[in-house]
């Protein structure tokens, strides 16, 4: 498993997009037994309205664009799982993570 600290994250859904503000964001990439998966953990999110929007919606499909602290640009499709009480979210990747390989 590889872990990357994120410097920035942009979340898109349809024609809307939100630059996400956070205290800490980490991207985890897992390659095991021929499978590939990835997810992002967000802590200390400042956007309560964004968290609430996804908490109240059945449509949690998003696309993300991330930049690591080291400057690597990554993108992919994911599901946004908010945790408004803890000002946190988990973004579960689905499929490829563009820019990783």
């Amino acid at each position: 498993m590889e872990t990357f600290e994120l410097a920035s994250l942009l979340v898109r859904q349809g024609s809307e997009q939100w630059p996400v503000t956070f205290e800490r964001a980490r991207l985890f990439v897992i390659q095991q037994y021929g499978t590939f998966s990835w997810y992002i953990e967000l802590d200390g999110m400042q956007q309560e309205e964004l968290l609430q929007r996804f908490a109240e919606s059945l449509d949690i499909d998003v696309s993300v664009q991330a930049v690591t602290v080291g400057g690597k640009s990554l993108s992919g499709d994911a599901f946004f799982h908010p945790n408004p009480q803890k000002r946190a979210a988990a973004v579960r990747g689905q499929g490829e993570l563009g820019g990783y390989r």
Side-chain angles (χ1 to χ4, degrees):
M1 176 168 58
E2 283 187 88
T3 305
F4 300 90
E5 293 288 331
L6 296 184
S8 67
L9 180 67
L10 180 71
V11 173
R12 287 192 178 123
Q13 187 179 56
S15 62
E16 296 185 87
Q17 65 180 22
W18 305 273
V20 178
T21 56
F22 50 82
E23 291 174 10
R24 184 172 190 192
R26 291 175 294 168
L27 165 67
F28 298 89
V29 178
I30 303 145
Q31 295 184 74
Q32 204 170 39
Y33 308 114
T35 63
F36 178 86
S37 61
W38 60 275
Y39 65 96
I40 298 169
E41 288 184 355
L42 295 161
D43 294 309
M45 287 185 62
Q46 304 301 314
Q47 295 142 301
E48 292 179 27
E49 288 179 13
L50 181 61
L51 289 168
Q52 205 58 42
R53 172 194 175 102
F54 283 102
E56 295 171 356
S57 177
L58 295 177
D59 185 9
I60 60 171
D61 289 39
V62 296
S63 62
V64 297
Q65 286 186 290
V67 177
T68 67
V69 169
K72 188 173 199 154
S73 293
L74 304 161
S75 61
D77 294 325
F79 297 107
F80 192 94
H81 300 278
N83 186 338
Q85 294 79 13
K86 293 193 176 187
R87 294 183 11 205
V91 181
R92 306 284 179 215
Q94 55 178 351
E96 292 295 315
L97 179 60
Y100 176 71
R101 297 179 199 248

